[in-house]
Amino acid sequence: MTIVTDAKNGKITEEMKIVAKDEGKDPEFIRRGIASGRIVIPMTPYRDIKLCGIGEGLRTKVNASIGASSDIVDEEMEIAKAKAAEEAGADTLMELGTGGDFLGIRKKVCDAISLSVGSVPLYQAFITAAKRDGSIIHMTEDDLWYATEEQAKLGTNFMAIHTGINNIVLDRLKAHGRFGGLCSRGGAFMSTWMLHNEKENPLFEHFDYLCEILKEHEVTLSTGNGMRAGAVADATDRAQVQELIINSECAQKAHDKYDLQVIVEGPGHVPLDQVEMNVKLMKAMSDGKPFYMLGPLVSDIGAGRDHIVTAIGASASAAAGCDFLCYVTPAEHLALPNLQDVVEGVRTSKIAAHVGDMVKYPETARNVDLAMGRARANLDWEAQYKLALDPVLARSIRDSRAPGDEDACTMCGDFCALKIVNKSYNLLK
């Protein structure tokens, strides 16, 4: 039995009630969404978590990604980054380490926070093979299954699994060619393994077995986007679309046959004029499954400020119907994110999610903006701090340049527009 089974049978579970209350929805709305595959609530039997609903009709959620690398392994820093991401408002966290003790670090991260934690078990399988046998090409199918089950037992409750890379996709990739190559580690690992060994992707070939493992441990499947573009010139190419077709078919099978919760992942680097098209294509192909947008970066030249480049694309994505955003930090493409990068990435993506929700759900999402507008008109600084996404930052900026007039700010000083008008005319509603 899974939560999807319950939903299909008409049962409203406690998890559905909790998410309904958090979202301001009727529990029956949540049940119908889960039954149809358009809403997921990542769960796990192995640890207590803060439940998070993702999907149609719900607030756009933000994921933060952390993880040690082969160059920098600092367990305490990864734990600190996980806690900082949660405090900054991340809805979920992905632990994507490729260095150090895979399971040890992930367990400490899971124990340190209450968020749903995601992973990519394929990383563990390939890197274990490289350490054991000298190359990723020696990865075995059992390495994949073992890594998936091991990570599930830690309480990792959603997993990006590269089910859509198959031989047809690689044929499309080779025939079309690319300017920016592959930017997905999972895509690079699996493509290299398939081409060298002249074999089909086990995650696609033995998809039924994969679903059985995920169902046993109540893991939400996130169909990995290994063919996402790493340059805007490659956006929406044949390989990406072919992988989406396969992933959508896998998502349908996982939900319909195995009662799994499923998320469909999307690109990547996408120019702004193609963002809405990609969201609608993903939604149409997957029959409205929750859509997880990796970025998107709408330009390739924002190094050092890629979190801002992403916020532009993420806002457009959320407005068009995307349900779940993966943050990008200022360190993207340059270095392993530090603590401040993580916080900045979360805060920026939270703004993008809200901007998108203002378009998707104007009758509710804009209420906080209305309240802020009134607070500003009334020169109510305490209310402004409370309504701001980052109250500490807002207060610290004002305090650092304290005005002579407590009602105004140092931008206008004695010539504050609101004070001038409000002194003589009542323009407030």
PDB file of all heavy atoms in Angstrom, residues 38 54-56 60 225 244 262-267 275 278-280 282-283 286 288-294 317 321-325:
ATOM      1  N   ARG A  38      -1.089  14.208 -10.182  1.00  0.00           N
ATOM      2  CA  ARG A  38      -0.759  15.618 -10.392  1.00  0.00           C
ATOM      3  C   ARG A  38      -0.247  16.312  -9.128  1.00  0.00           C
ATOM      4  O   ARG A  38       0.172  17.463  -9.185  1.00  0.00           O
ATOM      5  CB  ARG A  38      -1.974  16.352 -10.958  1.00  0.00           C
ATOM      6  CG  ARG A  38      -2.365  15.786 -12.320  1.00  0.00           C
ATOM      7  CD  ARG A  38      -3.435  16.595 -13.023  1.00  0.00           C
ATOM      8  NE  ARG A  38      -3.610  16.095 -14.398  1.00  0.00           N
ATOM      9  CZ  ARG A  38      -4.050  16.828 -15.404  1.00  0.00           C
ATOM     10  NH1 ARG A  38      -4.347  18.096 -15.220  1.00  0.00           N
ATOM     11  NH2 ARG A  38      -4.180  16.302 -16.606  1.00  0.00           N
ATOM     12  N   ILE A  54       3.636  19.003  -3.498  1.00  0.00           N
ATOM     13  CA  ILE A  54       4.189  19.560  -4.733  1.00  0.00           C
ATOM     14  C   ILE A  54       3.244  19.205  -5.875  1.00  0.00           C
ATOM     15  O   ILE A  54       2.913  18.030  -6.064  1.00  0.00           O
ATOM     16  CB  ILE A  54       5.585  18.979  -5.034  1.00  0.00           C
ATOM     17  CG1 ILE A  54       6.557  19.245  -3.881  1.00  0.00           C
ATOM     18  CG2 ILE A  54       6.138  19.536  -6.343  1.00  0.00           C
ATOM     19  CD1 ILE A  54       7.847  18.451  -3.973  1.00  0.00           C
ATOM     20  N   GLY A  55       2.824  20.206  -6.632  1.00  0.00           N
ATOM     21  CA  GLY A  55       2.006  19.888  -7.795  1.00  0.00           C
ATOM     22  C   GLY A  55       0.940  20.916  -8.106  1.00  0.00           C
ATOM     23  O   GLY A  55       0.946  22.044  -7.600  1.00  0.00           O
ATOM     24  N   GLU A  56       0.031  20.510  -8.934  1.00  0.00           N
ATOM     25  CA  GLU A  56      -0.985  21.389  -9.511  1.00  0.00           C
ATOM     26  C   GLU A  56      -1.864  22.011  -8.432  1.00  0.00           C
ATOM     27  O   GLU A  56      -2.399  21.320  -7.574  1.00  0.00           O
ATOM     28  CB  GLU A  56      -1.845  20.583 -10.488  1.00  0.00           C
ATOM     29  CG  GLU A  56      -2.778  21.389 -11.345  1.00  0.00           C
ATOM     30  CD  GLU A  56      -3.473  20.509 -12.372  1.00  0.00           C
ATOM     31  OE1 GLU A  56      -2.846  20.194 -13.402  1.00  0.00           O
ATOM     32  OE2 GLU A  56      -4.635  20.127 -12.132  1.00  0.00           O
ATOM     33  N   THR A  60       4.327  27.070  -5.530  1.00  0.00           N
ATOM     34  CA  THR A  60       5.563  26.607  -6.153  1.00  0.00           C
ATOM     35  C   THR A  60       6.620  26.394  -5.070  1.00  0.00           C
ATOM     36  O   THR A  60       6.866  27.281  -4.255  1.00  0.00           O
ATOM     37  CB  THR A  60       6.072  27.628  -7.179  1.00  0.00           C
ATOM     38  OG1 THR A  60       5.029  27.884  -8.133  1.00  0.00           O
ATOM     39  CG2 THR A  60       7.308  27.103  -7.900  1.00  0.00           C
ATOM     40  N   ASN A 225      16.830  14.193 -15.528  1.00  0.00           N
ATOM     41  CA  ASN A 225      16.925  14.895 -16.809  1.00  0.00           C
ATOM     42  C   ASN A 225      18.376  14.916 -17.284  1.00  0.00           C
ATOM     43  O   ASN A 225      19.048  15.944 -17.253  1.00  0.00           O
ATOM     44  CB  ASN A 225      16.365  16.317 -16.641  1.00  0.00           C
ATOM     45  CG  ASN A 225      16.178  17.048 -17.948  1.00  0.00           C
ATOM     46  OD1 ASN A 225      16.345  18.237 -18.019  1.00  0.00           O
ATOM     47  ND2 ASN A 225      15.839  16.328 -19.011  1.00  0.00           N
ATOM     48  N   LEU A 244      12.409  13.224 -22.702  1.00  0.00           N
ATOM     49  CA  LEU A 244      11.145  13.587 -22.072  1.00  0.00           C
ATOM     50  C   LEU A 244      10.043  12.591 -22.433  1.00  0.00           C
ATOM     51  O   LEU A 244       9.231  12.214 -21.575  1.00  0.00           O
ATOM     52  CB  LEU A 244      10.737  15.004 -22.491  1.00  0.00           C
ATOM     53  CG  LEU A 244       9.324  15.435 -22.080  1.00  0.00           C
ATOM     54  CD1 LEU A 244       9.161  15.425 -20.572  1.00  0.00           C
ATOM     55  CD2 LEU A 244       9.010  16.809 -22.654  1.00  0.00           C
ATOM     56  N   VAL A 262       5.290  10.354  -8.591  1.00  0.00           N
ATOM     57  CA  VAL A 262       6.291  10.650  -9.615  1.00  0.00           C
ATOM     58  C   VAL A 262       6.356  12.145  -9.903  1.00  0.00           C
ATOM     59  O   VAL A 262       5.337  12.824 -10.006  1.00  0.00           O
ATOM     60  CB  VAL A 262       5.988   9.902 -10.940  1.00  0.00           C
ATOM     61  CG1 VAL A 262       7.146  10.067 -11.917  1.00  0.00           C
ATOM     62  CG2 VAL A 262       5.714   8.429 -10.697  1.00  0.00           C
ATOM     63  N   ILE A 263       7.603  12.618 -10.041  1.00  0.00           N
ATOM     64  CA  ILE A 263       7.897  13.981 -10.481  1.00  0.00           C
ATOM     65  C   ILE A 263       8.651  13.871 -11.806  1.00  0.00           C
ATOM     66  O   ILE A 263       9.460  12.955 -11.976  1.00  0.00           O
ATOM     67  CB  ILE A 263       8.778  14.707  -9.448  1.00  0.00           C
ATOM     68  CG1 ILE A 263       8.037  14.858  -8.118  1.00  0.00           C
ATOM     69  CG2 ILE A 263       9.250  16.062  -9.964  1.00  0.00           C
ATOM     70  CD1 ILE A 263       8.936  15.259  -6.965  1.00  0.00           C
ATOM     71  N   VAL A 264       8.416  14.779 -12.722  1.00  0.00           N
ATOM     72  CA  VAL A 264       9.139  14.789 -13.999  1.00  0.00           C
ATOM     73  C   VAL A 264      10.075  15.999 -14.016  1.00  0.00           C
ATOM     74  O   VAL A 264       9.637  17.129 -13.801  1.00  0.00           O
ATOM     75  CB  VAL A 264       8.174  14.835 -15.200  1.00  0.00           C
ATOM     76  CG1 VAL A 264       8.957  14.951 -16.506  1.00  0.00           C
ATOM     77  CG2 VAL A 264       7.299  13.583 -15.216  1.00  0.00           C
ATOM     78  N   GLU A 265      11.351  15.745 -14.261  1.00  0.00           N
ATOM     79  CA  GLU A 265      12.347  16.817 -14.269  1.00  0.00           C
ATOM     80  C   GLU A 265      12.490  17.424 -15.658  1.00  0.00           C
ATOM     81  O   GLU A 265      12.314  16.751 -16.669  1.00  0.00           O
ATOM     82  CB  GLU A 265      13.713  16.285 -13.819  1.00  0.00           C
ATOM     83  CG  GLU A 265      13.745  15.837 -12.372  1.00  0.00           C
ATOM     84  CD  GLU A 265      15.132  15.413 -11.921  1.00  0.00           C
ATOM     85  OE1 GLU A 265      16.113  15.678 -12.661  1.00  0.00           O
ATOM     86  OE2 GLU A 265      15.243  14.823 -10.836  1.00  0.00           O
ATOM     87  N   GLY A 266      12.860  18.721 -15.652  1.00  0.00           N
ATOM     88  CA  GLY A 266      13.006  19.423 -16.919  1.00  0.00           C
ATOM     89  C   GLY A 266      14.321  20.176 -17.025  1.00  0.00           C
ATOM     90  O   GLY A 266      15.124  20.166 -16.105  1.00  0.00           O
ATOM     91  N   PRO A 267      14.518  20.855 -18.144  1.00  0.00           N
ATOM     92  CA  PRO A 267      15.795  21.505 -18.438  1.00  0.00           C
ATOM     93  C   PRO A 267      15.989  22.724 -17.541  1.00  0.00           C
ATOM     94  O   PRO A 267      15.038  23.218 -16.943  1.00  0.00           O
ATOM     95  CB  PRO A 267      15.616  21.919 -19.896  1.00  0.00           C
ATOM     96  CG  PRO A 267      14.140  22.116 -20.038  1.00  0.00           C
ATOM     97  CD  PRO A 267      13.499  21.139 -19.135  1.00  0.00           C
ATOM     98  N   VAL A 275      10.931  29.183 -22.481  1.00  0.00           N
ATOM     99  CA  VAL A 275      10.608  28.676 -21.144  1.00  0.00           C
ATOM    100  C   VAL A 275       9.160  28.204 -21.055  1.00  0.00           C
ATOM    101  O   VAL A 275       8.877  27.071 -20.651  1.00  0.00           O
ATOM    102  CB  VAL A 275      10.900  29.741 -20.069  1.00  0.00           C
ATOM    103  CG1 VAL A 275      10.320  29.315 -18.720  1.00  0.00           C
ATOM    104  CG2 VAL A 275      12.399  29.970 -19.937  1.00  0.00           C
ATOM    105  N   ASN A 278       8.543  25.041 -22.952  1.00  0.00           N
ATOM    106  CA  ASN A 278       9.068  23.847 -22.306  1.00  0.00           C
ATOM    107  C   ASN A 278       8.173  23.380 -21.164  1.00  0.00           C
ATOM    108  O   ASN A 278       7.934  22.184 -20.998  1.00  0.00           O
ATOM    109  CB  ASN A 278      10.485  24.111 -21.795  1.00  0.00           C
ATOM    110  CG  ASN A 278      11.551  23.741 -22.800  1.00  0.00           C
ATOM    111  OD1 ASN A 278      12.051  22.628 -22.810  1.00  0.00           O
ATOM    112  ND2 ASN A 278      11.885  24.670 -23.678  1.00  0.00           N
ATOM    113  N   VAL A 279       7.673  24.312 -20.374  1.00  0.00           N
ATOM    114  CA  VAL A 279       6.783  23.931 -19.269  1.00  0.00           C
ATOM    115  C   VAL A 279       5.528  23.274 -19.808  1.00  0.00           C
ATOM    116  O   VAL A 279       5.103  22.208 -19.329  1.00  0.00           O
ATOM    117  CB  VAL A 279       6.419  25.157 -18.409  1.00  0.00           C
ATOM    118  CG1 VAL A 279       5.377  24.780 -17.353  1.00  0.00           C
ATOM    119  CG2 VAL A 279       7.654  25.734 -17.738  1.00  0.00           C
ATOM    120  N   LYS A 280       4.925  23.871 -20.819  1.00  0.00           N
ATOM    121  CA  LYS A 280       3.687  23.319 -21.365  1.00  0.00           C
ATOM    122  C   LYS A 280       3.926  21.984 -22.059  1.00  0.00           C
ATOM    123  O   LYS A 280       3.087  21.074 -21.999  1.00  0.00           O
ATOM    124  CB  LYS A 280       3.040  24.334 -22.314  1.00  0.00           C
ATOM    125  CG  LYS A 280       2.520  25.557 -21.557  1.00  0.00           C
ATOM    126  CD  LYS A 280       1.783  26.537 -22.450  1.00  0.00           C
ATOM    127  CE  LYS A 280       1.187  27.670 -21.609  1.00  0.00           C
ATOM    128  NZ  LYS A 280       0.471  28.667 -22.428  1.00  0.00           N
ATOM    129  N   MET A 282       6.300  19.804 -21.209  1.00  0.00           N
ATOM    130  CA  MET A 282       6.487  18.831 -20.128  1.00  0.00           C
ATOM    131  C   MET A 282       5.149  18.410 -19.534  1.00  0.00           C
ATOM    132  O   MET A 282       4.894  17.225 -19.298  1.00  0.00           O
ATOM    133  CB  MET A 282       7.357  19.433 -19.017  1.00  0.00           C
ATOM    134  CG  MET A 282       8.756  19.801 -19.410  1.00  0.00           C
ATOM    135  SD  MET A 282       9.866  18.382 -19.392  1.00  0.00           S
ATOM    136  CE  MET A 282      11.315  19.124 -20.164  1.00  0.00           C
ATOM    137  N   LYS A 283       4.297  19.387 -19.255  1.00  0.00           N
ATOM    138  CA  LYS A 283       3.003  19.087 -18.646  1.00  0.00           C
ATOM    139  C   LYS A 283       2.116  18.248 -19.567  1.00  0.00           C
ATOM    140  O   LYS A 283       1.440  17.315 -19.139  1.00  0.00           O
ATOM    141  CB  LYS A 283       2.295  20.401 -18.269  1.00  0.00           C
ATOM    142  CG  LYS A 283       2.828  21.056 -17.013  1.00  0.00           C
ATOM    143  CD  LYS A 283       2.404  20.272 -15.777  1.00  0.00           C
ATOM    144  CE  LYS A 283       2.714  21.000 -14.500  1.00  0.00           C
ATOM    145  NZ  LYS A 283       2.252  20.262 -13.309  1.00  0.00           N
ATOM    146  N   SER A 286       3.503  14.590 -19.883  1.00  0.00           N
ATOM    147  CA  SER A 286       3.451  13.771 -18.665  1.00  0.00           C
ATOM    148  C   SER A 286       2.065  13.707 -18.044  1.00  0.00           C
ATOM    149  O   SER A 286       1.919  13.190 -16.937  1.00  0.00           O
ATOM    150  CB  SER A 286       4.429  14.320 -17.630  1.00  0.00           C
ATOM    151  OG  SER A 286       4.005  15.603 -17.159  1.00  0.00           O
ATOM    152  N   GLY A 288       0.318  16.120 -16.841  1.00  0.00           N
ATOM    153  CA  GLY A 288       0.175  17.006 -15.704  1.00  0.00           C
ATOM    154  C   GLY A 288       0.914  16.604 -14.447  1.00  0.00           C
ATOM    155  O   GLY A 288       0.622  17.113 -13.364  1.00  0.00           O
ATOM    156  N   LYS A 289       1.888  15.691 -14.572  1.00  0.00           N
ATOM    157  CA  LYS A 289       2.672  15.313 -13.391  1.00  0.00           C
ATOM    158  C   LYS A 289       3.403  16.540 -12.831  1.00  0.00           C
ATOM    159  O   LYS A 289       3.701  17.480 -13.559  1.00  0.00           O
ATOM    160  CB  LYS A 289       3.705  14.245 -13.764  1.00  0.00           C
ATOM    161  CG  LYS A 289       3.140  12.923 -14.277  1.00  0.00           C
ATOM    162  CD  LYS A 289       2.546  12.087 -13.176  1.00  0.00           C
ATOM    163  CE  LYS A 289       2.139  10.697 -13.665  1.00  0.00           C
ATOM    164  NZ  LYS A 289       1.172  10.673 -14.759  1.00  0.00           N
ATOM    165  N   PRO A 290       3.692  16.547 -11.535  1.00  0.00           N
ATOM    166  CA  PRO A 290       4.483  17.661 -10.975  1.00  0.00           C
ATOM    167  C   PRO A 290       5.774  17.843 -11.751  1.00  0.00           C
ATOM    168  O   PRO A 290       6.502  16.880 -12.014  1.00  0.00           O
ATOM    169  CB  PRO A 290       4.750  17.193  -9.546  1.00  0.00           C
ATOM    170  CG  PRO A 290       3.593  16.314  -9.218  1.00  0.00           C
ATOM    171  CD  PRO A 290       3.279  15.587 -10.497  1.00  0.00           C
ATOM    172  N   PHE A 291       6.049  19.080 -12.119  1.00  0.00           N
ATOM    173  CA  PHE A 291       7.187  19.390 -12.978  1.00  0.00           C
ATOM    174  C   PHE A 291       8.268  20.095 -12.161  1.00  0.00           C
ATOM    175  O   PHE A 291       8.021  21.123 -11.538  1.00  0.00           O
ATOM    176  CB  PHE A 291       6.721  20.256 -14.149  1.00  0.00           C
ATOM    177  CG  PHE A 291       7.814  20.729 -15.056  1.00  0.00           C
ATOM    178  CD1 PHE A 291       8.931  19.945 -15.296  1.00  0.00           C
ATOM    179  CD2 PHE A 291       7.735  21.959 -15.692  1.00  0.00           C
ATOM    180  CE1 PHE A 291       9.945  20.385 -16.128  1.00  0.00           C
ATOM    181  CE2 PHE A 291       8.731  22.405 -16.539  1.00  0.00           C
ATOM    182  CZ  PHE A 291       9.852  21.614 -16.744  1.00  0.00           C
ATOM    183  N   TYR A 292       9.454  19.517 -12.195  1.00  0.00           N
ATOM    184  CA  TYR A 292      10.611  19.990 -11.432  1.00  0.00           C
ATOM    185  C   TYR A 292      11.586  20.642 -12.404  1.00  0.00           C
ATOM    186  O   TYR A 292      12.217  19.963 -13.211  1.00  0.00           O
ATOM    187  CB  TYR A 292      11.246  18.796 -10.737  1.00  0.00           C
ATOM    188  CG  TYR A 292      12.445  19.055  -9.851  1.00  0.00           C
ATOM    189  CD1 TYR A 292      12.721  20.305  -9.309  1.00  0.00           C
ATOM    190  CD2 TYR A 292      13.307  18.003  -9.537  1.00  0.00           C
ATOM    191  CE1 TYR A 292      13.814  20.501  -8.482  1.00  0.00           C
ATOM    192  CE2 TYR A 292      14.399  18.186  -8.712  1.00  0.00           C
ATOM    193  CZ  TYR A 292      14.645  19.437  -8.182  1.00  0.00           C
ATOM    194  OH  TYR A 292      15.729  19.632  -7.364  1.00  0.00           O
ATOM    195  N   MET A 293      11.695  21.967 -12.344  1.00  0.00           N
ATOM    196  CA  MET A 293      12.544  22.703 -13.268  1.00  0.00           C
ATOM    197  C   MET A 293      13.938  22.890 -12.676  1.00  0.00           C
ATOM    198  O   MET A 293      14.087  23.438 -11.583  1.00  0.00           O
ATOM    199  CB  MET A 293      11.920  24.070 -13.580  1.00  0.00           C
ATOM    200  CG  MET A 293      12.762  24.965 -14.470  1.00  0.00           C
ATOM    201  SD  MET A 293      12.998  24.311 -16.158  1.00  0.00           S
ATOM    202  CE  MET A 293      11.577  25.023 -17.009  1.00  0.00           C
ATOM    203  N   LEU A 294      14.945  22.426 -13.399  1.00  0.00           N
ATOM    204  CA  LEU A 294      16.334  22.564 -12.957  1.00  0.00           C
ATOM    205  C   LEU A 294      16.860  23.904 -13.467  1.00  0.00           C
ATOM    206  O   LEU A 294      17.494  23.997 -14.504  1.00  0.00           O
ATOM    207  CB  LEU A 294      17.171  21.402 -13.478  1.00  0.00           C
ATOM    208  CG  LEU A 294      16.596  20.011 -13.166  1.00  0.00           C
ATOM    209  CD1 LEU A 294      17.517  18.924 -13.689  1.00  0.00           C
ATOM    210  CD2 LEU A 294      16.358  19.834 -11.687  1.00  0.00           C
ATOM    211  N   SER A 317       8.964  30.211 -15.448  1.00  0.00           N
ATOM    212  CA  SER A 317       8.576  28.797 -15.366  1.00  0.00           C
ATOM    213  C   SER A 317       7.401  28.608 -14.424  1.00  0.00           C
ATOM    214  O   SER A 317       6.414  27.936 -14.742  1.00  0.00           O
ATOM    215  CB  SER A 317       9.757  27.952 -14.865  1.00  0.00           C
ATOM    216  OG  SER A 317      10.850  28.045 -15.726  1.00  0.00           O
ATOM    217  N   GLY A 321       3.354  27.322 -15.054  1.00  0.00           N
ATOM    218  CA  GLY A 321       2.789  26.081 -14.516  1.00  0.00           C
ATOM    219  C   GLY A 321       3.773  25.136 -13.882  1.00  0.00           C
ATOM    220  O   GLY A 321       3.379  24.058 -13.417  1.00  0.00           O
ATOM    221  N   CYS A 322       5.057  25.500 -13.826  1.00  0.00           N
ATOM    222  CA  CYS A 322       6.043  24.657 -13.153  1.00  0.00           C
ATOM    223  C   CYS A 322       5.716  24.599 -11.657  1.00  0.00           C
ATOM    224  O   CYS A 322       5.304  25.594 -11.061  1.00  0.00           O
ATOM    225  CB  CYS A 322       7.445  25.230 -13.374  1.00  0.00           C
ATOM    226  SG  CYS A 322       8.736  24.368 -12.495  1.00  0.00           S
ATOM    227  N   ASP A 323       5.923  23.442 -11.038  1.00  0.00           N
ATOM    228  CA  ASP A 323       5.519  23.225  -9.648  1.00  0.00           C
ATOM    229  C   ASP A 323       6.663  23.258  -8.642  1.00  0.00           C
ATOM    230  O   ASP A 323       6.440  23.438  -7.439  1.00  0.00           O
ATOM    231  CB  ASP A 323       4.840  21.849  -9.528  1.00  0.00           C
ATOM    232  CG  ASP A 323       3.756  21.659 -10.549  1.00  0.00           C
ATOM    233  OD1 ASP A 323       2.713  22.312 -10.418  1.00  0.00           O
ATOM    234  OD2 ASP A 323       3.948  20.864 -11.498  1.00  0.00           O
ATOM    235  N   PHE A 324       7.898  23.077  -9.131  1.00  0.00           N
ATOM    236  CA  PHE A 324       9.017  22.773  -8.237  1.00  0.00           C
ATOM    237  C   PHE A 324      10.271  23.332  -8.884  1.00  0.00           C
ATOM    238  O   PHE A 324      10.566  23.022 -10.041  1.00  0.00           O
ATOM    239  CB  PHE A 324       9.098  21.248  -8.114  1.00  0.00           C
ATOM    240  CG  PHE A 324       9.960  20.692  -7.020  1.00  0.00           C
ATOM    241  CD1 PHE A 324      10.288  21.411  -5.885  1.00  0.00           C
ATOM    242  CD2 PHE A 324      10.434  19.387  -7.127  1.00  0.00           C
ATOM    243  CE1 PHE A 324      11.065  20.861  -4.888  1.00  0.00           C
ATOM    244  CE2 PHE A 324      11.204  18.822  -6.138  1.00  0.00           C
ATOM    245  CZ  PHE A 324      11.528  19.556  -5.001  1.00  0.00           C
ATOM    246  N   LEU A 325      10.992  24.197  -8.173  1.00  0.00           N
ATOM    247  CA  LEU A 325      12.183  24.837  -8.718  1.00  0.00           C
ATOM    248  C   LEU A 325      13.433  24.368  -7.993  1.00  0.00           C
ATOM    249  O   LEU A 325      13.453  24.327  -6.765  1.00  0.00           O
ATOM    250  CB  LEU A 325      12.085  26.365  -8.567  1.00  0.00           C
ATOM    251  CG  LEU A 325      10.894  27.063  -9.213  1.00  0.00           C
ATOM    252  CD1 LEU A 325      10.863  28.524  -8.799  1.00  0.00           C
ATOM    253  CD2 LEU A 325      10.944  26.932 -10.732  1.00  0.00           C
TER     254      LEU A 325
END
